[in-house]
Amino acid sequence: MNHYVIADARRCIGCNTCVASCSQEHQRYGLQSAPRLEVMRNLQDSAPVMCRQCEDAPCAKVCPVNAITLRDRAVQLNENLCVSCKLCGIACPFGAITFSGSTPVATPRDCNTPKALPAPLPPRPLSPFLDCVPGVRAVAVKCDLCSFSEDGPACVRTCPTQAIKLVTVDLSLHASQRKRLNAASSLPVDLFISGKENPS
């Protein structure tokens, strides 16, 4: 089983602290600054939506350059290998993969000269899947459980209401055992006698 992050909508207050900390943590390590989660809201509730770290990982199956792989019990993305095909975002059934622009480091933002015509304005953004800006490479962005940090996911650490939790194998097994015990204790006692079903 893969590790994954889950959010409790009953505790979430929609403060976007998780979004900000995710962006800041990845930028600190030289990765895309786009947040790996998005807080969704309706009239009553709010909760962040993020990668489910699927065991069969449709995004990894469709990646033509193996930029998405299963590593350390999580579905990891290597940004350096991404070729901007956007297939992973289309294949993700939860909409948990988006795209962020990456420009060459050595290219200044305004490189016009008096002898050249001014560069055209960038087109109005439509969607991460449809946008195409010359000179900007779209790089896939997905939750990596902050695998580069020894402290674990930044969103879990900074959530003020502890609405976000990291689910590990041990935690999942414990929850499964607790559910079984609760289910067994809710059955009527007279259904079973000495391990055999009561004929009456």
Side-chain angles (χ1 to χ4, degrees):
M1 186 198 102
N2 291 341
H3 297 169
Y4 59 95
V5 175
I6 193 169
D8 185 349
R10 294 170 298 180
R11 291 187 173 188
C12 178
I13 57 174
C15 64
N16 277 325
T17 302
C18 55
V19 175
S21 64
C22 176
S23 176
Q24 187 176 16
E25 186 80 355
H26 285 83
Q27 192 171 17
R28 208 165 56 128
Y29 284 87
L31 298 168
Q32 293 287 331
S33 62
R36 273 69 178 163
L37 66 166
E38 180 183 0
V39 176
M40 305 298 286
R41 295 178 178 82
N42 60 23
L43 291 175
Q44 298 168 337
D45 302 309
S46 63
V49 174
M50 60 203 88
C51 176
R52 305 290 206 284
Q53 308 295 339
C54 306
E55 296 208 18
D56 58 349
C59 57
K61 289 181 179 178
V62 299
C63 181
V65 292
N66 293 326
I68 302 176
T69 55
L70 178 62
R71 193 171 73 250
D72 300 329
R73 292 197 176 273
V75 181
Q76 304 283 358
L77 165 71
N78 185 338
E79 291 185 2
N80 295 321
L81 295 178
C82 179
V83 292
S84 312
C85 68
K86 302 185 179 179
L87 290 174
C88 56
I90 296 169
C92 177
F94 303 105
I97 298 179
T98 187
F99 296 87
S100 179
S102 177
T103 55
V105 178
T107 306
R109 287 188 178 274
D110 186 7
C111 55
N112 298 321
T113 68
K115 296 181 181 179
L117 293 173
L121 293 173
R124 187 171 57 87
L126 297 172
S127 154
F129 291 94
L130 298 175
D131 292 344
C132 179
V133 181
V136 177
R137 183 170 72 97
V139 177
V141 174
K142 72 173 292 298
C143 176
D144 50 13
L145 299 179
C146 294
S147 58
F148 46 80
S149 172
E150 294 180 358
D151 300 325
C155 56
V156 176
R157 286 185 275 122
T158 58
C159 180
T161 60
Q162 284 138 19
I164 306 175
K165 291 184 179 176
L166 175 65
V167 179
T168 61
V169 175
D170 294 337
L171 188 63
S172 182
L173 288 173
H174 177 69
S176 180
Q177 288 173 349
R178 195 171 61 207
K179 283 182 182 177
R180 285 194 193 106
L181 289 172
N182 288 342
S185 64
S186 66
L187 292 173
V189 178
D190 59 347
L191 278 183
F192 298 93
I193 297 175
S194 301
K196 296 181 180 179
E197 212 172 307
N198 188 350
S200 61

mmCIF file with all atom_site columns, all heavy atoms in Angstrom, residues 86 97-100 126-132 138:
data_model
loop_
_atom_site.group_PDB
_atom_site.id
_atom_site.type_symbol
_atom_site.label_atom_id
_atom_site.label_alt_id
_atom_site.label_comp_id
_atom_site.label_asym_id
_atom_site.label_entity_id
_atom_site.label_seq_id
_atom_site.pdbx_PDB_ins_code
_atom_site.Cartn_x
_atom_site.Cartn_y
_atom_site.Cartn_z
_atom_site.occupancy
_atom_site.B_iso_or_equiv
_atom_site.pdbx_formal_charge
_atom_site.auth_seq_id
_atom_site.auth_comp_id
_atom_site.auth_asym_id
_atom_site.auth_atom_id
_atom_site.pdbx_PDB_model_num
ATOM 1   N N   . LYS A 1 86  ? 1.356  16.297 -21.140 1.00 0.00 ? 86  LYS A N   1
ATOM 2   C CA  . LYS A 1 86  ? 0.120  16.499 -20.381 1.00 0.00 ? 86  LYS A CA  1
ATOM 3   C C   . LYS A 1 86  ? -0.771 15.266 -20.316 1.00 0.00 ? 86  LYS A C   1
ATOM 4   O O   . LYS A 1 86  ? -1.931 15.343 -19.905 1.00 0.00 ? 86  LYS A O   1
ATOM 5   C CB  . LYS A 1 86  ? -0.666 17.695 -20.918 1.00 0.00 ? 86  LYS A CB  1
ATOM 6   C CG  . LYS A 1 86  ? 0.144  18.992 -20.873 1.00 0.00 ? 86  LYS A CG  1
ATOM 7   C CD  . LYS A 1 86  ? -0.663 20.195 -21.282 1.00 0.00 ? 86  LYS A CD  1
ATOM 8   C CE  . LYS A 1 86  ? 0.186  21.464 -21.186 1.00 0.00 ? 86  LYS A CE  1
ATOM 9   N NZ  . LYS A 1 86  ? -0.540 22.656 -21.580 1.00 0.00 ? 86  LYS A NZ  1
ATOM 10  N N   . ILE A 1 97  ? -3.427 16.459 -10.910 1.00 0.00 ? 97  ILE A N   1
ATOM 11  C CA  . ILE A 1 97  ? -2.194 16.875 -11.580 1.00 0.00 ? 97  ILE A CA  1
ATOM 12  C C   . ILE A 1 97  ? -2.485 18.116 -12.404 1.00 0.00 ? 97  ILE A C   1
ATOM 13  O O   . ILE A 1 97  ? -3.436 18.148 -13.188 1.00 0.00 ? 97  ILE A O   1
ATOM 14  C CB  . ILE A 1 97  ? -1.641 15.755 -12.492 1.00 0.00 ? 97  ILE A CB  1
ATOM 15  C CG1 . ILE A 1 97  ? -1.286 14.521 -11.664 1.00 0.00 ? 97  ILE A CG1 1
ATOM 16  C CG2 . ILE A 1 97  ? -0.417 16.241 -13.259 1.00 0.00 ? 97  ILE A CG2 1
ATOM 17  C CD1 . ILE A 1 97  ? -0.758 13.360 -12.480 1.00 0.00 ? 97  ILE A CD1 1
ATOM 18  N N   . THR A 1 98  ? -1.685 19.141 -12.192 1.00 0.00 ? 98  THR A N   1
ATOM 19  C CA  . THR A 1 98  ? -1.821 20.356 -12.984 1.00 0.00 ? 98  THR A CA  1
ATOM 20  C C   . THR A 1 98  ? -0.464 20.660 -13.620 1.00 0.00 ? 98  THR A C   1
ATOM 21  O O   . THR A 1 98  ? 0.465  19.870 -13.504 1.00 0.00 ? 98  THR A O   1
ATOM 22  C CB  . THR A 1 98  ? -2.317 21.539 -12.126 1.00 0.00 ? 98  THR A CB  1
ATOM 23  O OG1 . THR A 1 98  ? -2.585 22.654 -12.966 1.00 0.00 ? 98  THR A OG1 1
ATOM 24  C CG2 . THR A 1 98  ? -1.300 21.919 -11.065 1.00 0.00 ? 98  THR A CG2 1
ATOM 25  N N   . PHE A 1 99  ? -0.347 21.820 -14.255 1.00 0.00 ? 99  PHE A N   1
ATOM 26  C CA  . PHE A 1 99  ? 0.894  22.151 -14.954 1.00 0.00 ? 99  PHE A CA  1
ATOM 27  C C   . PHE A 1 99  ? 1.305  23.577 -14.633 1.00 0.00 ? 99  PHE A C   1
ATOM 28  O O   . PHE A 1 99  ? 0.464  24.461 -14.478 1.00 0.00 ? 99  PHE A O   1
ATOM 29  C CB  . PHE A 1 99  ? 0.714  21.962 -16.468 1.00 0.00 ? 99  PHE A CB  1
ATOM 30  C CG  . PHE A 1 99  ? 0.441  20.543 -16.827 1.00 0.00 ? 99  PHE A CG  1
ATOM 31  C CD1 . PHE A 1 99  ? -0.860 20.058 -16.830 1.00 0.00 ? 99  PHE A CD1 1
ATOM 32  C CD2 . PHE A 1 99  ? 1.469  19.665 -17.098 1.00 0.00 ? 99  PHE A CD2 1
ATOM 33  C CE1 . PHE A 1 99  ? -1.127 18.740 -17.109 1.00 0.00 ? 99  PHE A CE1 1
ATOM 34  C CE2 . PHE A 1 99  ? 1.218  18.343 -17.380 1.00 0.00 ? 99  PHE A CE2 1
ATOM 35  C CZ  . PHE A 1 99  ? -0.080 17.870 -17.384 1.00 0.00 ? 99  PHE A CZ  1
ATOM 36  N N   . SER A 1 100 ? 2.606  23.765 -14.523 1.00 0.00 ? 100 SER A N   1
ATOM 37  C CA  . SER A 1 100 ? 3.139  25.078 -14.206 1.00 0.00 ? 100 SER A CA  1
ATOM 38  C C   . SER A 1 100 ? 4.251  25.394 -15.194 1.00 0.00 ? 100 SER A C   1
ATOM 39  O O   . SER A 1 100 ? 5.005  24.503 -15.592 1.00 0.00 ? 100 SER A O   1
ATOM 40  C CB  . SER A 1 100 ? 3.683  25.098 -12.778 1.00 0.00 ? 100 SER A CB  1
ATOM 41  O OG  . SER A 1 100 ? 4.226  26.357 -12.463 1.00 0.00 ? 100 SER A OG  1
ATOM 42  N N   . LEU A 1 126 ? -6.215 30.145 -20.479 1.00 0.00 ? 126 LEU A N   1
ATOM 43  C CA  . LEU A 1 126 ? -7.498 29.451 -20.587 1.00 0.00 ? 126 LEU A CA  1
ATOM 44  C C   . LEU A 1 126 ? -7.585 28.302 -19.588 1.00 0.00 ? 126 LEU A C   1
ATOM 45  O O   . LEU A 1 126 ? -8.497 28.215 -18.793 1.00 0.00 ? 126 LEU A O   1
ATOM 46  C CB  . LEU A 1 126 ? -7.673 28.898 -22.005 1.00 0.00 ? 126 LEU A CB  1
ATOM 47  C CG  . LEU A 1 126 ? -7.725 29.918 -23.137 1.00 0.00 ? 126 LEU A CG  1
ATOM 48  C CD1 . LEU A 1 126 ? -7.702 29.215 -24.483 1.00 0.00 ? 126 LEU A CD1 1
ATOM 49  C CD2 . LEU A 1 126 ? -8.986 30.757 -23.008 1.00 0.00 ? 126 LEU A CD2 1
ATOM 50  N N   . SER A 1 127 ? -6.596 27.412 -19.658 1.00 0.00 ? 127 SER A N   1
ATOM 51  C CA  . SER A 1 127 ? -6.569 26.223 -18.815 1.00 0.00 ? 127 SER A CA  1
ATOM 52  C C   . SER A 1 127 ? -5.150 25.686 -18.826 1.00 0.00 ? 127 SER A C   1
ATOM 53  O O   . SER A 1 127 ? -4.445 25.822 -19.828 1.00 0.00 ? 127 SER A O   1
ATOM 54  C CB  . SER A 1 127 ? -7.545 25.178 -19.374 1.00 0.00 ? 127 SER A CB  1
ATOM 55  O OG  . SER A 1 127 ? -7.162 23.881 -19.009 1.00 0.00 ? 127 SER A OG  1
ATOM 56  N N   . PRO A 1 128 ? -4.701 25.051 -17.734 1.00 0.00 ? 128 PRO A N   1
ATOM 57  C CA  . PRO A 1 128 ? -3.354 24.463 -17.741 1.00 0.00 ? 128 PRO A CA  1
ATOM 58  C C   . PRO A 1 128 ? -3.154 23.447 -18.858 1.00 0.00 ? 128 PRO A C   1
ATOM 59  O O   . PRO A 1 128 ? -2.040 23.215 -19.306 1.00 0.00 ? 128 PRO A O   1
ATOM 60  C CB  . PRO A 1 128 ? -3.256 23.789 -16.368 1.00 0.00 ? 128 PRO A CB  1
ATOM 61  C CG  . PRO A 1 128 ? -4.249 24.481 -15.516 1.00 0.00 ? 128 PRO A CG  1
ATOM 62  C CD  . PRO A 1 128 ? -5.354 24.906 -16.434 1.00 0.00 ? 128 PRO A CD  1
ATOM 63  N N   . PHE A 1 129 ? -4.241 22.859 -19.342 1.00 0.00 ? 129 PHE A N   1
ATOM 64  C CA  . PHE A 1 129 ? -4.142 21.855 -20.394 1.00 0.00 ? 129 PHE A CA  1
ATOM 65  C C   . PHE A 1 129 ? -4.134 22.470 -21.792 1.00 0.00 ? 129 PHE A C   1
ATOM 66  O O   . PHE A 1 129 ? -3.685 21.854 -22.741 1.00 0.00 ? 129 PHE A O   1
ATOM 67  C CB  . PHE A 1 129 ? -5.292 20.845 -20.289 1.00 0.00 ? 129 PHE A CB  1
ATOM 68  C CG  . PHE A 1 129 ? -5.182 19.964 -19.083 1.00 0.00 ? 129 PHE A CG  1
ATOM 69  C CD1 . PHE A 1 129 ? -5.827 20.298 -17.906 1.00 0.00 ? 129 PHE A CD1 1
ATOM 70  C CD2 . PHE A 1 129 ? -4.429 18.804 -19.115 1.00 0.00 ? 129 PHE A CD2 1
ATOM 71  C CE1 . PHE A 1 129 ? -5.720 19.500 -16.788 1.00 0.00 ? 129 PHE A CE1 1
ATOM 72  C CE2 . PHE A 1 129 ? -4.319 17.996 -18.009 1.00 0.00 ? 129 PHE A CE2 1
ATOM 73  C CZ  . PHE A 1 129 ? -4.958 18.342 -16.838 1.00 0.00 ? 129 PHE A CZ  1
ATOM 74  N N   . LEU A 1 130 ? -4.647 23.692 -21.931 1.00 0.00 ? 130 LEU A N   1
ATOM 75  C CA  . LEU A 1 130 ? -4.758 24.320 -23.242 1.00 0.00 ? 130 LEU A CA  1
ATOM 76  C C   . LEU A 1 130 ? -3.727 25.415 -23.477 1.00 0.00 ? 130 LEU A C   1
ATOM 77  O O   . LEU A 1 130 ? -3.417 25.732 -24.623 1.00 0.00 ? 130 LEU A O   1
ATOM 78  C CB  . LEU A 1 130 ? -6.162 24.915 -23.415 1.00 0.00 ? 130 LEU A CB  1
ATOM 79  C CG  . LEU A 1 130 ? -7.327 23.919 -23.361 1.00 0.00 ? 130 LEU A CG  1
ATOM 80  C CD1 . LEU A 1 130 ? -8.653 24.659 -23.424 1.00 0.00 ? 130 LEU A CD1 1
ATOM 81  C CD2 . LEU A 1 130 ? -7.223 22.912 -24.491 1.00 0.00 ? 130 LEU A CD2 1
ATOM 82  N N   . ASP A 1 131 ? -3.205 26.003 -22.415 1.00 0.00 ? 131 ASP A N   1
ATOM 83  C CA  . ASP A 1 131 ? -2.275 27.115 -22.567 1.00 0.00 ? 131 ASP A CA  1
ATOM 84  C C   . ASP A 1 131 ? -0.975 26.672 -23.234 1.00 0.00 ? 131 ASP A C   1
ATOM 85  O O   . ASP A 1 131 ? -0.445 25.604 -22.942 1.00 0.00 ? 131 ASP A O   1
ATOM 86  C CB  . ASP A 1 131 ? -1.944 27.742 -21.206 1.00 0.00 ? 131 ASP A CB  1
ATOM 87  C CG  . ASP A 1 131 ? -3.141 28.444 -20.596 1.00 0.00 ? 131 ASP A CG  1
ATOM 88  O OD1 . ASP A 1 131 ? -4.107 28.696 -21.346 1.00 0.00 ? 131 ASP A OD1 1
ATOM 89  O OD2 . ASP A 1 131 ? -3.122 28.722 -19.394 1.00 0.00 ? 131 ASP A OD2 1
ATOM 90  N N   . CYS A 1 132 ? -0.470 27.517 -24.133 1.00 0.00 ? 132 CYS A N   1
ATOM 91  C CA  . CYS A 1 132 ? 0.812  27.268 -24.783 1.00 0.00 ? 132 CYS A CA  1
ATOM 92  C C   . CYS A 1 132 ? 1.491  28.616 -24.988 1.00 0.00 ? 132 CYS A C   1
ATOM 93  O O   . CYS A 1 132 ? 1.073  29.406 -25.833 1.00 0.00 ? 132 CYS A O   1
ATOM 94  C CB  . CYS A 1 132 ? 0.614  26.545 -26.108 1.00 0.00 ? 132 CYS A CB  1
ATOM 95  S SG  . CYS A 1 132 ? 2.160  26.220 -26.968 1.00 0.00 ? 132 CYS A SG  1
ATOM 96  N N   . ALA A 1 138 ? 5.743  23.699 -20.065 1.00 0.00 ? 138 ALA A N   1
ATOM 97  C CA  . ALA A 1 138 ? 4.783  23.282 -19.045 1.00 0.00 ? 138 ALA A CA  1
ATOM 98  C C   . ALA A 1 138 ? 5.297  22.018 -18.362 1.00 0.00 ? 138 ALA A C   1
ATOM 99  O O   . ALA A 1 138 ? 5.595  21.029 -19.020 1.00 0.00 ? 138 ALA A O   1
ATOM 100 C CB  . ALA A 1 138 ? 3.428  23.024 -19.682 1.00 0.00 ? 138 ALA A CB  1
#
